[in-house]
Amino acid sequence: MRVAGTQAPNHKQEAALIARLRGGDESSMADLYDRYSGVVYGVALRVLGDTAAAEDLLQEIFLQLWRNPQAFDADRGRLAPWLAVIARNRAIDVLRKRPLEANIDELPISTGVDLEDDTSQRLAVEKVRGALGQLPQEQRKVLEMAFFAGMTHTEIANKTGEPLGTIKTRIRSGLLALRKAFA
Amino acid sequence: MKDHAQYAETLALYAMGALDNPQELADLQAHLGTCGECRRELDALRADTALLALSATGPQPPLRARQRLLSAIAAEPRLQQREQQEKRFVLGRLRSSWLSFVPIAVALVLAILSMLLLKENLRIRDRNAQMAAELSEAQNKSAHAQEVLDMLNNPKTVRMTLVAMPNHPQPQIKTFYAPEKGHLVILANNLEPLPEGKVYQLWLRPPKGDPMPAGTFWPDSTGNRMMMHALETPGIEAQSFAVTVEPAGGSLTPTMPIVLAPTR
């Protein structure tokens, strides 16, 4: 896989990589870093807007994966989207100055999107960006405020002056539009 | 389905952690606990957010970040590895064990011997203590017997015989009083049994003043009793003795009538 400069393995390769990680093979971390550091760092930088803070978070997330590889359940999803969401959630914690938990979350993330190889994943990213580009600017803005700025729907409503119900609807329909792009 | 529609929009907020209304949050979490369909929709929405996250990929971390991570990992053994090392360490001790087991075995034997010796020592100590107690008791008995004997043979001992008053059976009490020490021995015979809560009390009658308590006693099943008593103050001359029946524990002044009094 190549997602804007990162390479992701297909499912079998990923399973083997996880097995090496769980076996304590340090070289597996080098491989994982080479493949997924772009995803984690990109999300962290987008949320935090600070390269040093994003680098620290990148370090933290990979170290926690090394310490607790069981946190990722390969049966319930793929590593790339899982790491992306973990990076986003942790970055929001940093942004809101909330203490980071000792272990990374065990969120089930199964995109249902074909991420078996570099080409399909590159296409997936392009498709996401394309779908976002199709959304009305107000809707895309609300989605980004909720996801990348970690704002609650009340905070978004206060900032935009839009009713709470409108914010709710825009967020849900924006997510469904991304899903629809891959249907 | 009305429930699912009702929760659809809050589910999207929840998937992003953007739902901040406590009531809506509590309602949704309660609903998720019972609704598998909404839990599946929540998983799908989280996957949607993952797509959104992937849109941020592009910037690459600085090259130093990779080495920084790998150095940190190299310096930090994994828990599993630490467990394995600890396990190997334990196994290693056991394997190298025939030599290292000898001092352990010797220590165990010494410990067992020490425990046996300690137990024997404690047994001997108990026996000694028991013998010392028995000896002390025997010495006390001997001393008392000697004291009684000395008293009975002492010419200075004041001897009196108390007999029943008229129309009374033949109870008798002999008193032996050593004024210089204030010691008193009585030998009682044929006393009548007492009601519950009552005792006989001996009174010393000094030449002047009120009678003084000189000990309480009660007869055995045959009506007999021997008693030794020491007055609180030695040196008191006894003009006579008398016996009354008093409540258990004795009295400070005699309760009439006198049931035994001297014959002379």
Side-chain angles (χ1 to χ4, degrees):
Chain A
M1 160 185 175
R2 179 168 294 277
V3 181
T6 65
Q7 293 181 340
N10 63 31
H11 193 69
K12 286 183 181 177
Q13 289 174 328
E14 185 172 289
L17 200 52
I18 296 300
R20 285 169 53 206
L21 173 66
R22 290 179 177 171
D25 179 358
E26 290 183 16
S27 68
S28 68
M29 281 306 292
D31 291 344
L32 283 168
Y33 182 90
D34 291 341
R35 296 175 193 280
Y36 299 124
S37 60
V39 174
V40 174
Y41 182 78
V43 174
L45 184 60
R46 176 71 181 272
V47 172
L48 298 171
D50 180 300
T51 54
E55 185 184 334
D56 286 345
L57 188 60
L58 170 73
Q59 176 94 358
E60 178 68 20
I61 288 174
F62 274 95
L63 265 179
Q64 288 193 12
L65 182 61
W66 169 249
R67 291 167 184 159
N68 182 23
Q70 308 297 333
F72 172 67
D73 184 354
D75 294 332
R76 302 183 68 178
R78 299 297 301 276
L79 199 49
W82 183 78
L83 280 171
V85 173
I86 294 294
R88 179 266 177 185
N89 291 346
R90 288 308 180 97
I92 296 297
D93 287 342
V94 172
L95 201 62
R96 297 224 161 195
K97 300 189 186 310
R98 290 189 291 239
L100 294 178
E101 293 182 8
N103 286 315
I104 46 182
D105 307 307
E106 298 182 37
L107 291 174
I109 306 291
S110 179
T111 63
V113 176
D114 181 11
L115 300 171
E116 288 299 311
D117 53 43
D118 294 355
T119 304
S120 61
Q121 292 202 20
R122 187 168 59 250
L123 288 174
V125 172
E126 289 173 359
K127 196 179 285 189
V128 169
R129 289 175 176 164
L132 285 173
Q134 295 295 314
L135 294 177
Q137 186 179 356
E138 295 79 9
Q139 188 168 21
R140 188 169 66 247
K141 187 178 176 184
V142 166
L143 263 185
E144 290 173 348
M145 289 170 83
F147 192 73
F148 290 116
M151 296 171 70
T152 67
H153 74 302
T154 305
E155 291 170 337
I156 295 170
N158 290 337
K159 187 162 186 174
T160 61
E162 299 285 352
L164 283 171
T166 303
I167 303 302
K168 285 183 181 179
T169 302
R170 284 180 176 168
I171 286 177
R172 178 169 186 266
S173 61
L175 289 177
L176 292 181
L178 290 181
R179 191 188 304 178
K180 189 177 178 182
F182 291 89
Chain B
M1 289 305 294
K2 182 181 177 183
D3 276 349
H4 305 317
Q6 178 186 339
Y7 291 114
E9 290 184 339
T10 51
L11 262 181
L13 293 176
Y14 185 69
M16 285 197 179
L19 182 60
D20 63 356
N21 183 304
Q23 186 59 52
E24 285 183 309
L25 191 60
D27 288 347
L28 178 61
Q29 286 175 332
H31 177 68
L32 284 170
T34 60
C35 180
E37 185 173 339
C38 282
R39 283 198 300 273
R40 286 189 291 276
E41 175 62 11
L42 177 61
D43 287 346
L45 287 165
R46 281 184 175 144
D48 297 336
T49 66
L51 294 175
L52 192 54
L54 286 174
S55 70
T57 57
Q60 291 298 299
L63 291 176
R64 66 171 182 276
R66 185 179 192 274
Q67 189 52 48
R68 179 185 167 196
L69 174 69
L70 297 178
S71 298
I73 288 170
E76 180 180 294
R78 297 185 57 186
L79 179 61
Q80 184 181 348
Q81 289 173 322
R82 283 199 298 271
E83 286 173 349
Q84 286 174 347
Q85 284 171 355
E86 287 167 5
K87 199 172 179 182
R88 279 197 297 271
F89 177 67
V90 172
L91 288 174
R93 279 193 303 186
L94 292 176
R95 281 179 191 147
S96 60
S97 53
W98 290 112
L99 287 177
S100 60
F101 189 70
V102 169
I104 294 172
V106 169
L108 280 173
V109 169
L110 286 175
I112 292 168
L113 284 175
S114 297
M115 288 180 69
L116 291 174
L117 288 171
L118 181 63
K119 192 175 178 182
E120 179 64 13
N121 189 26
L122 288 174
R123 194 186 65 77
I124 291 171
R125 279 190 188 181
D126 288 346
R127 180 63 186 150
N128 285 343
Q130 186 181 351
M131 290 176 69
E134 290 172 358
L135 180 61
S136 175
E137 187 180 351
Q139 286 173 337
N140 286 337
K141 284 180 179 175
S142 175
H144 287 161
Q146 185 61 47
E147 192 172 354
V148 169
L149 205 58
D150 291 345
M151 201 172 163
L152 294 177
N153 293 327
N154 190 335
K156 291 182 179 177
T157 296
V158 180
R159 293 169 172 80
M160 292 184 192
T161 301
L162 309 183
V163 298
M165 300 299 284
N167 302 324
H168 207 272
Q170 295 297 314
Q172 184 182 72
I173 293 178
K174 293 183 182 301
T175 62
F176 303 88
Y177 177 54
E180 70 278 11
K181 291 185 178 179
H183 288 179
L184 181 67
V185 173
I186 67 167
L187 298 174
N189 300 105
N190 305 317
L191 295 181
E192 287 190 351
L194 290 167
E196 190 172 350
K198 296 290 185 180
V199 293
Y200 288 111
Q201 184 162 1
L202 185 69
W203 300 93
L204 181 153
R205 286 173 166 167
K208 290 181 181 178
D210 296 330
M212 300 172 64
T216 59
F217 57 97
W218 53 96
D220 60 19
S221 59
T222 59
N224 301 322
R225 173 66 65 191
M226 173 185 166
M227 182 191 78
M228 291 184 67
H229 184 75
L231 297 180
E232 290 183 3
T233 307
I236 298 174
E237 185 182 347
Q239 189 174 52
S240 67
F241 290 91
V243 173
T244 60
V245 176
E246 303 291 344
S251 301
L252 294 176
T253 55
T255 303
M256 293 297 111
I258 295 172
V259 295
L260 288 145
T263 55
R264 68 177 175 93

